[in-house]
Amino acid sequence: MRKAVISSSDTPSPAGETPVANDPSAGYEGPPDYRVIGRHAVFPQTSHDEIERINFLAQMNRHLAARVVPGVKAAFDTRVVPAFEAQHGRAMADRHEARRALLEDPAFQTWSALRRMTMEQRQQAGRWTALRQREQLNAVAHALTEGDQRLSLDPSLPIPRYVSAVDHHCMPGSYHSEYFPGDVVNGANYDHGGFVTTGGLLGKYSDGGGHAVVKWVRRNLPDFKPQKILEIGGTVGHSSLPLAQAFPEAEMTIVDLGAPVLRYGLARAKSLGVDNISFVQASGEDLSIYPDASFDWIQTTMFLHELSTKALRAIFAETRRLLKPGGIVLHVEQPQYAPDMPLFEQAMRDWDAFYNNEPFWSRMHEMDLDAEMVAAGFDADKLIHGGVTGVVDRELFPDAEEDDTEDYGRKAAWHVIGAVA
Amino acid sequence: MSFSDALAGAGAKPAGKRPYFLEPQVERVLAITMSIAQELAVVRQRNDTLERLLLSKGVLTQGEIDAYVPDRGASAERQMWNQEFIARILRIVQQENEAVTTSHDVASGDVGEELARDG
């Protein structure tokens, strides 16, 4: 009999061994220990306590999603809806009425306050780790990227208001702020602290989204052999590297507005042995640096919701112009608000728009993306619709496909909208 | 980067007005409490790391911590630490309760005005 108490003398079960009934680890569901996360040369060093801060915050997010949100749902059904109907003499009309009514309820107030605090604590924890070693990180990134033609920065690039007005995800300085020349701090913070939000659902290198897209393309477009791939808004390359790795003969380009994430991204890619990617500072709204029909595949991953309506339209038009005949564009996003989506779910999904500094989230998710694609010049009968879930190493990480925790916006399960040019 | 710059930068406010879901005073206290909860979790895990290292190196044996019985002196020290700890955390409860029976309490500002009038 194995002891029920975990101790250092318990060795991990060899692969394939049936778990012992009273082994507490057999019943564990939740984020893996942060120590299993993949590390590369420009990844910040993390002390014991910094790791445990991240573990705690990942568990907080899981607790809020798994254990607190059901109470908010119950409060909505039993208190918020009846109170609204009694007061107004009618049912709630839309998600905005649902959200405003929820704001009056203590269950939603407490959940919201805790969720906001967890995000603020995550930013402080990640930024502390990145800032305290910023000179070392800068030196590593500099050594890996200096003189490399695959990094192309444009300090004169204007930062549009949809990025500068509020810092997305309460991330001070967002993707673009530089604290000194050559700075990579905001890339390092974004990269290593993302685990708090995803709880490991994106895998060892936070790249489960990219692997999912590759899997989708291989399954649905088996003959597709791209030579030129573009990712718009690719930040540090989390989701893009799997594409470059899956098609090693292709040349990949990542464009983003933020110099710190691009610098960090090239250093990260090189240290992970991925050499067919260039990182270019440019706006997806104006990619006139590339001639018409330059790319076989244009990708965006969890990016559209950080734009504005005008920017989304400009980017769609650029993707149409830049695609070669027969090329594909794929946008991976959370699902749109459909008429049959319950108002509670819509209001909960809207949380990030109002309280986590993602102002376009709400409007983007009510747009008719099919119509926008057609308006950008794509054929209505060549539109692509699909769904993907994060693909991860199942020995170490929870599988998004099997995870039934609903976090309304953060689960690693997405919709794909795209088109063949 | 200096230590104090890193401290300030780590806690920097993001662009965008902060939403409040509770009374601001309550939310402020809750935020401080949750930060303390985070740090307590960190300390607990550090303690666990230490125990596991001591076990693996044979300094401790399995069950030794749970079986530990402090002697009379150590027991008193530990219980006094508990009393001190609780009293420190619940200081405001003590002071508010003392205020109930302190009928002669005056506000400092009022005393200031009173003293000014006295010239």
Side-chain angles (χ1 to χ4, degrees):
Chain A
M1 284 289 287
R2 296 271 295 275
K3 293 185 298 295
V5 177
I6 298 178
S7 79
S8 61
S9 60
D10 278 341
T11 49
S13 302
E17 184 187 313
T18 309
V20 177
N22 62 355
D23 178 355
S25 66
Y28 176 71
E29 285 179 12
D33 189 302
Y34 184 72
R35 290 169 181 85
V36 304
I37 209 83
R39 286 162 184 275
H40 47 78
V42 75
F43 200 83
Q45 301 290 312
T46 44
S47 69
H48 178 282
D49 292 1
E50 287 171 334
I51 288 168
E52 296 302 347
R53 230 164 253 138
I54 287 176
N55 280 336
F56 171 80
L57 292 169
Q59 294 287 359
M60 267 299 295
N61 271 331
R62 180 180 164 83
H63 179 88
L64 290 173
R67 312 240 174 248
V68 181
V69 164
V72 179
K73 171 75 165 65
F76 182 76
D77 293 339
T78 61
R79 281 200 302 244
V80 177
V81 168
F84 183 95
E85 290 177 353
Q87 190 187 342
H88 295 90
R90 61 173 175 83
M92 287 173 182
D94 58 30
R95 67 181 197 276
H96 300 292
E97 284 191 352
R99 179 177 56 83
R100 283 194 285 268
L102 275 164
L103 279 171
E104 303 298 318
D105 189 89
F108 183 82
Q109 290 168 349
T110 303
W111 170 75
S112 294
L114 289 168
R115 197 184 201 202
R116 170 83 190 195
M117 282 163 203
T118 302
M119 180 53 87
E120 291 178 0
Q121 284 175 256
R122 170 262 172 272
Q123 293 300 346
Q124 185 182 36
R127 283 169 63 78
W128 168 255
T129 297
L131 282 165
R132 70 166 175 82
Q133 54 192 304
R134 74 174 201 181
E135 282 82 9
Q136 299 95 299
L137 292 172
N138 179 49
V140 173
H142 182 74
L144 279 163
T145 60
E146 189 190 13
D148 194 317
Q149 299 302 308
R150 288 172 294 179
L151 179 65
S152 170
L153 300 179
D154 175 9
S156 70
L157 186 71
I159 301 300
R161 184 154 172 78
Y162 56 82
V163 169
S164 65
V166 298
D167 287 336
H168 288 120
H169 328 130
C170 308
M171 178 169 68
S174 192
Y175 306 101
H176 60 285
S177 294
E178 290 187 278
Y179 299 107
F180 66 117
D183 183 28
V184 295
V185 160
N186 283 13
N189 172 42
Y190 183 65
D191 185 19
H192 90 278
F195 181 88
V196 169
T197 309
T198 63
L201 285 170
L202 286 184
K204 194 172 179 185
Y205 290 102
S206 302
D207 58 359
H211 286 297
V213 169
V214 167
K215 190 173 155 189
W216 189 92
V217 165
R218 289 211 191 283
R219 183 182 293 161
N220 292 283
L221 305 163
D223 300 325
F224 187 49
K225 297 278 183 291
Q227 295 300 308
K228 301 269 191 183
I229 308 173
L230 173 68
E231 173 123 16
I232 303 174
T235 67
V236 299
H238 288 140
S239 302
S240 317
L241 261 60
L243 279 58
Q245 288 168 306
F247 298 96
E249 69 287 354
E251 282 178 41
M252 179 152 196
T253 304
I254 290 177
V255 298
D256 200 280
L257 292 165
V261 292
L262 291 164
R263 234 179 243 127
Y264 183 91
L266 179 61
R268 179 182 182 276
K270 287 175 80 170
S271 94
L272 288 170
V274 182
D275 291 314
N276 54 333
I277 311 187
S278 297
F279 289 77
V280 178
Q281 190 176 17
S283 165
E285 294 181 72
D286 175 11
L287 293 171
S288 50
I289 48 175
Y290 304 111
D292 295 357
S294 290
F295 297 97
D296 301 290
W297 179 1
I298 301 178
Q299 178 70 34
T300 78
T301 310
M302 291 305 291
F303 167 68
L304 298 182
H305 68 267
E306 295 193 353
L307 304 170
S308 66
T309 307
K310 194 176 150 211
L312 182 141
R313 288 178 177 152
I315 287 170
F316 277 17
E318 279 293 71
T319 63
R320 181 68 191 86
R321 180 183 71 78
L322 288 169
L323 276 179
K324 294 179 190 173
I328 60 164
V329 58
L330 295 177
H331 303 288
V332 171
E333 263 296 349
Q334 289 285 329
Q336 297 298 97
Y337 296 130
D340 61 347
M341 187 187 280
L343 283 187
F344 176 74
E345 180 174 350
Q346 293 189 32
M348 294 293 274
R349 286 184 174 279
D350 248 11
W351 195 92
D352 287 275
F354 290 89
Y355 312 121
N356 194 29
N357 285 359
E358 304 213 61
F360 189 51
W361 176 282
S362 191
R363 282 173 182 77
M364 184 261 144
H365 282 99
E366 66 188 5
M367 289 176 82
D368 181 345
L369 292 179
D370 283 10
E372 296 296 338
M373 293 291 281
V374 171
F378 292 100
D379 290 343
D381 58 358
K382 289 187 175 177
L383 297 185
I384 294 169
H385 299 100
V388 294
T389 50
V391 176
V392 299
D393 175 351
R394 292 185 190 198
E395 282 192 11
L396 297 176
F397 296 94
D399 191 324
E401 256 179 301
E402 290 167 8
D403 183 283
D404 56 4
T405 307
E406 182 51 85
D407 197 20
Y408 302 111
R410 296 181 189 188
K411 185 174 177 175
W414 310 279
H415 283 200
V416 174
I417 171 131
V420 179
Chain B
M1 176 172 241
S2 74
F3 178 77
S4 68
D5 284 349
L7 274 183
K13 177 193 165 303
K17 193 174 180 181
R18 190 194 194 283
Y20 281 84
F21 304 95
L22 310 168
E23 289 296 319
Q25 295 91 330
V26 174
E27 190 151 337
R28 189 179 309 126
V29 174
L30 184 59
I32 292 168
T33 309
M34 290 312 298
S35 299
I36 293 172
Q38 171 184 271
E39 294 309 310
L40 180 61
V42 168
V43 170
R44 166 64 180 76
Q45 298 292 21
R46 195 172 183 95
N47 213 28
D48 182 77
T49 299
L50 193 59
E51 286 176 25
R52 287 173 192 272
L53 286 173
L54 292 173
L55 277 167
S56 70
K57 291 174 189 300
V59 179
L60 279 179
T61 55
Q62 182 63 37
E64 204 172 351
I65 285 179
D66 289 319
Y68 171 71
V69 180
D71 62 25
R72 189 182 169 84
S75 180
E77 281 178 17
R78 290 157 64 99
Q79 296 300 3
M80 286 166 73
W81 185 89
N82 265 333
Q83 292 178 1
E84 183 196 338
F85 180 65
I86 292 167
R88 194 180 291 128
I89 290 171
L90 296 183
R91 175 196 50 79
I92 190 168
V93 177
Q94 176 189 342
Q95 295 191 355
E96 286 181 351
N97 287 344
E98 286 181 12
V100 172
T101 57
T102 314
S103 55
H104 57 273
D105 249 2
V106 293
S108 178
D110 292 342
V111 175
E113 284 186 20
E114 179 191 322
L115 297 178
R117 281 196 302 273
D118 287 349

